[in-house]
Amino acid sequence: MLQHLEELEKSDDESTAHTSNDDKKDATTSEQAEAKEKKEAQKKRRKYEAVSWCWGKEPYSETLRVHEGDKVFAFPISPNLRSALWALRKPNEVRQLWVDALCIDQKNKEERNQQVPRMDKIYGSARNVCIWLGNATEDSKKAMEFIKNRVLQLWKFDELIENKDMAKHWAALITLMKRPWFSRRWVVQEIALSPRGGTIHCGKDYNTWQDFADAVSLFVEVETATHRLSDVMKLDQTFGNIPDFFGNVSSLGAALLVDATSNLFRNQNRNLQTQERKPLSSLEFLVSRLSVFEATQPRDTVYALLAISRDTTPEASDRDPDPNVQARMEMMRTTMKALTPKGGFGNQNYYVDYRLPVIDVYQQFIAFSLFESDKKRALDIICRPWAPTVSKRHDYPDFLSPAFTPVEEKPKKKSKDKKKEEEEEKRLEAEKKKMDDEKDEETPLPSWIPSLTRAAFEMEEHPTAGLRMERQNADPLVGLPDDSGRRNYSAAGDRGLDLEDLKFIKWDTLRKPNSSYPDYSMFVRGFIFDEVLAVDHLASNGNIPYKWLHVGGWRDTEEYPPEEFWRTLVADRAHGGHNPPTYFPRACKESMRYKAKTMSKTGGNLDCRKLIYEGRCTIVAEFLRRVQEVIWNRKLMTTKGGRLGLVRDDVSQGFMVCILYGCSVPSQLELREEGKMYHDERKRMKKKEIADLVFASPCYYRLVGECYVHGMMNGEAIALQNRDRIGMPDQIFELR
């Protein structure tokens, strides 16, 4: 039986009112009995369970028939949802289920706006959350049994992880952890909001969520800390003797989900029925930390996390979307000034509006984060990859609708001219393909909205191990937001973001080439302190190009490396943002012991992965793991000021190195010039709140991203500017 939350709440209200009226008047015995019976029936109706499942991209080729009295309602559903409902049904009793795909009209944006803010009630009030991972397989049966009967026996756990015969069971567990459900963004709040936990289902097999979470936590802890399970897998020929068989398990969706859901809330008291659960994490932290989780609807990158954030309360937007971004900014700024307490913000209403263009939703999140966060690191959000790519399809009114609208097949008209009929079919098919291709065209994001394509990790197909979480890029230098005020770096010193300088402009009538979106500008203050002189070879797959040694001044590898060079390799930090240990220079020197005998000046790399997994030296491996975190797919840079640094792979000679006030690391900017006609049009459109200075030159900047500049990461550039204000003047940058 499927019901809307409104019906369930209404049942309680009616029940209370009826009982109250019975107390006030002298009802007959039959009326009292009828009221009691109705109340009991309504209480039963409240005992619903919520289903958490993976929508996927399957066609909605199955039909669900729901019987309500003498009426029958038909819903198109996917095969996966059909399998879930079939497995969850009980043979001898009614099981009441809440399923988002059926209880929310997905093609009605107003209804979605109303329902999304209520997810905390829906999942928080459910008697249980049924987590559907999919149909059972031989591997899933093995994994579910392994969790239930072996992994959780803690006194035998050490024996278990050394048992070579258990390789197939660990492989089955990691396969279970990589099921599509664990990559879905909404599951974070669906599990986190249920105070009673949930049950995890594969076909007819099930375990409690708590048992599953404990098993995953144990697995991730031992593999991340010691790699002992990878060693067991490497000895098993069945799995190809692959080193690092599991990949980066701590970045898997299942591992992040278990960690997040156990640390998102703090219970205010011990009573399960009356306890208040206090969210602990900011919206900025959640969006940044949980970027590996996907959403079919890009707006849900933000909206799916509102109910579990400590600084937001999701609220439906019943107003027409305001096309003026700056107007929303000014309203937000005024509200912030009036309401901000000395101790900072509490919980803010955050409007959910699926009618807004995707980029407007992204911009709204950045603006919110800038206002809410520590102003000394507020702009770190524009350096940290979090935004999924956007296509034209995402802003079409019918996006997500076809799955829920059955297509009526009309009988084909018979044609006397078969050739003409075939030609017409081909023409219609070609037109449909062209329209679909246009909808799938990627829309470029403004440079100040950091694309998820730059994320450190991504699922990748391995020829033997299957899907694994593999590193694709270096870790962001800015790290994750930290409520303690701790920052990895403080390149801008104590100069924070000035909200009076911060502006956003949406150029409504201007369009980029081949784009359905207008131009978006962000205005921030800072100064340029250097310029890129040269960039050297790419650190592909995290390997150190031998050419870098020459650029870094390390001529003789029998000697210790220059301090500037080895500190640049690790961005002057150890794992976790701590200061590098004293043995790093020695580990750097030892890592070159097995370099190629003939180092070419134009090519060749130190194979860091090989030394990590085959070198049998944990200290060198620790150093090289940190090097890979920093240099993967980055280039070595030298500046006109004679400084050494690390930059993105798309940086070229002549790019500017600057400090943006409110960003904890230096930034890289590319100066661009717009055409005269374009510039004249912008001047005619000039917004009154933007200073004339901005429009004096037909130039703007592309934010390339963060960078490491040795000796300029902890306020040194500010001191340099204080001594030379003429050569390094403050300016407002227009970023697009």
Side-chain angles (χ1 to χ4, degrees):
M1 190 179 200
L2 299 149
Q3 291 177 284
H4 285 277
L5 184 65
E6 289 93 333
E7 294 177 16
L8 297 170
E9 289 176 338
K10 188 178 177 184
S11 298
D12 272 3
D13 295 339
E14 288 174 350
S15 174
T16 304
H18 194 99
T19 305
S20 177
N21 291 335
D22 281 350
D23 290 340
K24 289 179 181 178
K25 65 183 180 181
D26 186 17
T28 63
T29 307
S30 61
E31 287 175 332
Q32 289 175 340
E34 184 181 343
K36 186 177 180 181
E37 185 178 338
K38 186 176 181 180
K39 185 176 179 180
E40 290 301 318
Q42 288 166 345
K43 278 185 178 180
K44 266 190 173 183
R45 293 179 73 192
R46 286 286 296 174
K47 294 180 180 178
Y48 70 97
E49 297 173 86
V51 179
S52 178
W53 65 293
C54 183
W55 287 41
K57 297 180 180 179
E58 291 181 317
Y60 278 55
S61 55
E62 302 286 343
T63 301
L64 172 71
R65 290 176 177 81
V66 179
H67 296 258
E68 184 71 25
D70 58 350
K71 295 180 180 179
V72 179
F73 301 91
F75 294 87
I77 60 173
S78 69
N80 186 38
L81 181 54
R82 181 190 184 280
S83 297
L85 296 174
W86 187 266
L88 293 172
R89 70 189 301 181
K90 293 185 177 180
N92 301 317
E93 61 179 287
V94 174
R95 189 171 196 176
Q96 299 181 73
L97 302 174
W98 187 94
V99 184
D100 52 3
L102 301 170
C103 296
I104 300 175
D105 184 357
Q106 298 297 326
K107 46 184 185 179
N108 186 326
K109 291 185 179 181
E110 284 71 24
E111 180 169 335
R112 287 196 350 244
N113 288 347
Q114 293 291 332
Q115 291 295 327
V116 167
R118 311 185 72 184
M119 288 298 163
D120 56 340
K121 275 188 177 181
I122 293 170
Y123 283 90
S125 302
R127 181 166 60 89
N128 180 47
V129 175
C130 301
I131 301 159
W132 175 252
L133 298 187
N135 289 317
T137 64
E138 186 180 338
D139 269 349
S140 73
K141 288 179 176 293
K142 188 176 292 181
M144 298 290 268
E145 183 274 333
F146 189 47
I147 291 169
K148 190 176 293 184
N149 299 323
R150 300 296 296 271
V151 179
L152 301 178
Q153 296 182 26
L154 297 187
W155 290 105
K156 297 181 179 179
F157 188 71
D158 287 342
E159 295 176 20
L160 183 68
I161 61 178
E162 292 173 358
N163 189 339
K164 297 174 185 177
D165 296 332
M166 290 292 107
K168 290 181 180 178
H169 292 76
W170 292 114
L173 177 58
I174 195 73
T175 301
L176 187 70
M177 289 169 61
K178 290 186 287 191
R179 287 222 174 186
W181 182 85
F182 292 106
S183 66
R184 186 171 162 257
R185 202 170 192 83
W186 278 104
V187 305
V188 181
Q189 80 161 15
E190 289 168 3
I191 295 302
L193 290 173
S194 173
R196 300 161 185 82
T199 50
I200 193 162
H201 299 257
C202 263
K204 291 289 185 180
D205 303 315
Y206 68 92
N207 274 320
T208 66
W209 170 256
Q210 188 60 58
D211 283 355
F212 175 82
D214 288 348
V216 168
S217 185
L218 288 166
F219 168 66
V220 171
E221 176 65 26
V222 71
E223 174 58 16
T224 303
T226 66
H227 300 282
R228 287 163 72 182
L229 294 175
S230 284
D231 291 340
V232 169
M233 303 302 291
K234 189 165 64 174
L235 298 174
D236 195 318
Q237 290 184 358
T238 309
F239 301 102
N241 304 113
I242 302 169
D244 192 31
F245 176 85
F246 298 111
N248 192 288
V249 293
S250 61
S251 296
L252 278 173
L256 290 173
L257 183 62
V258 166
D259 178 68
T261 52
S262 60
N263 294 296
L264 282 176
F265 294 96
R266 179 181 294 123
N267 294 332
Q268 300 293 79
N269 59 59
R270 294 183 179 180
N271 189 330
L272 184 65
Q273 300 302 320
T274 61
Q275 67 184 6
E276 294 179 21
R277 306 177 77 210
K278 181 182 178 182
L280 300 177
S281 300
S282 67
L283 181 63
E284 180 190 3
F285 176 87
L286 292 173
V287 171
S288 302
R289 172 65 171 155
L290 303 175
S291 62
V292 70
F293 293 95
E294 301 168 356
T296 306
Q297 165 60 266
R299 296 166 182 84
D300 290 338
T301 301
V302 178
Y303 292 162
L305 301 173
L306 295 178
I308 55 177
S309 159
R310 71 154 189 268
D311 48 10
T312 58
T313 297
E315 187 163 318
S317 176
D318 53 2
R319 304 170 298 180
D320 289 332
D322 186 352
N324 190 334
V325 178
Q326 191 60 31
R328 295 201 301 272
M329 285 288 300
E330 290 301 328
M331 183 177 67
M332 191 184 295
R333 182 182 284 110
T334 303
T335 306
M336 297 291 182
K337 283 184 177 178
L339 300 179
T340 304
K342 290 182 179 179
F345 279 98
N347 198 284
Q348 303 292 319
N349 285 345
Y350 197 111
Y351 289 100
V352 174
D353 193 346
Y354 285 94
R355 297 167 298 177
L356 283 174
V358 177
I359 291 183
D360 283 26
V361 173
Y362 287 177
Q363 181 273 329
Q364 188 180 46
F365 163 68
I366 286 182
F368 182 86
S369 299
L370 295 179
F371 279 107
E372 286 284 292
S373 60
D374 176 2
K375 298 303 173 282
K376 293 177 184 177
R377 62 138 192 93
L379 284 177
D380 286 0
I381 188 63
I382 67 175
C383 297
R384 193 184 297 120
W386 61 267
T389 54
V390 179
S391 68
K392 290 183 180 180
R393 182 183 298 277
H394 295 136
D395 282 322
Y396 273 64
D398 63 346
F399 178 59
L400 289 184
S401 297
F404 300 89
T405 307
V407 178
E408 183 183 353
E409 292 188 1
K410 296 180 179 179
K412 294 181 181 179
K413 294 181 180 179
K414 292 184 179 180
S415 174
K416 294 180 180 179
D417 194 333
K418 192 172 182 181
K419 187 177 180 181
K420 279 188 177 181
E421 184 180 325
E422 289 175 353
E423 287 176 355
E424 180 65 11
E425 283 182 2
K426 285 181 181 179
R427 186 186 67 79
L428 292 173
E429 189 177 333
E431 282 184 6
K432 183 179 182 300
K433 185 179 185 303
K434 184 180 178 183
M435 288 179 63
D436 287 342
D437 289 344
E438 286 177 356
K439 287 184 179 182
D440 289 332
E441 282 179 12
E442 187 176 322
T443 302
L445 296 174
S447 64
W448 44 270
I449 297 180
S451 171
L452 199 53
T453 56
R454 292 280 175 179
F457 292 96
E458 187 178 74
M459 292 297 283
E460 190 175 90
E461 187 72 35
H462 188 279
T464 307
L467 278 175
R468 295 199 306 183
M469 187 63 75
E470 297 278 11
R471 182 176 288 281
Q472 305 295 324
N473 293 291
D475 291 344
L477 295 167
V478 295
L480 290 169
D482 191 327
D483 291 335
S484 68
R486 178 180 172 274
R487 291 169 282 164
N488 288 346
Y489 306 98
S490 52
D494 291 329
R495 294 190 191 174
L497 174 69
D498 188 340
L499 296 180
E500 295 299 326
D501 292 327
L502 177 67
K503 298 286 190 299
F504 290 94
I505 293 292
K506 180 179 180 180
W507 304 102
D508 301 295
T509 63
L510 298 180
R511 294 287 189 274
K512 293 178 181 177
N514 303 318
S515 174
S516 61
Y517 280 103
D519 258 343
Y520 289 76
S521 294
M522 178 183 184
F523 296 84
V524 291
R525 185 177 291 275
F527 66 93
I528 295 169
F529 72 89
D530 213 334
E531 185 179 324
V532 177
L533 178 64
V535 289
D536 214 288
H537 289 55
L538 182 72
S540 180
N541 294 322
N543 294 322
I544 304 172
Y546 289 143
K547 182 85 180 292
W548 283 21
L549 278 61
H550 178 77
V551 176
W554 194 8
R555 303 292 191 271
D556 184 359
T557 56
E558 295 298 321
E559 301 293 330
Y560 282 98
E563 183 173 4
E564 181 185 29
F565 180 66
W566 75 258
R567 286 188 184 275
T568 296
L569 287 180
V570 296
D572 202 20
R573 293 290 184 271
H575 178 74
H578 304 292
N579 288 326
T582 57
Y583 56 77
F584 264 19
R586 185 179 296 276
C588 183
K589 176 188 170 188
E590 290 299 316
S591 69
M592 291 295 165
R593 181 187 290 272
Y594 300 104
K595 69 180 185 301
K597 292 182 180 179
T598 305
M599 290 198 318
S600 168
K601 290 185 178 180
T602 58
N605 301 280
L606 180 72
D607 191 338
C608 294
R609 182 183 178 86
K610 186 175 181 180
L611 288 178
I612 289 171
Y613 293 109
E614 299 178 24
R616 296 187 176 276
C617 178
T618 56
I619 300 301
V620 170
E622 179 194 350
F623 168 76
L624 291 177
R625 281 194 175 97
R626 174 56 187 166
V627 169
Q628 289 192 322
E629 291 175 355
V630 172
I631 73 170
W632 199 291
N633 278 354
R634 283 186 172 135
K635 291 181 177 180
L636 191 67
M637 165 190 70
T638 50
T639 71
K640 283 188 174 180
R643 301 180 179 94
L644 203 62
L646 293 167
V647 295
R648 263 178 31 172
D649 58 354
D650 55 348
V651 169
S652 302
Q653 182 182 8
F655 282 24
M656 306 300 174
V657 186
C658 73
I659 295 293
L660 300 179
Y661 299 147
C663 189
S664 65
V665 298
S667 300
Q668 209 100 45
L669 300 180
E670 179 191 10
L671 181 65
R672 290 189 170 183
E673 187 171 339
E674 60 192 3
K676 185 178 185 304
M677 289 180 61
Y678 198 93
H679 179 62
D680 291 344
E681 176 65 15
R682 279 212 314 135
K683 287 173 73 175
R684 282 194 290 273
M685 294 170 55
K686 186 178 73 171
K687 310 287 183 176
K688 63 182 180 180
E689 61 271 15
I690 304 298
D692 290 337
L693 176 65
V694 173
F695 298 95
S697 170
C699 296
Y700 64 94
Y701 291 91
R702 176 176 76 96
L703 175 67
V704 183
E706 61 179 2
C707 62
Y708 176 84
V709 184
H710 187 69
M712 290 286 151
M713 302 300 290
N714 295 297
E716 297 90 343
I718 300 295
L720 198 64
Q721 189 207 32
N722 289 337
R723 293 198 300 269
D724 185 14
R725 281 199 174 273
I726 297 176
M728 299 181 186
D730 271 11
Q731 65 182 94
I732 292 179
F733 298 102
E734 180 186 1
L735 308 179
R736 284 197 221 158

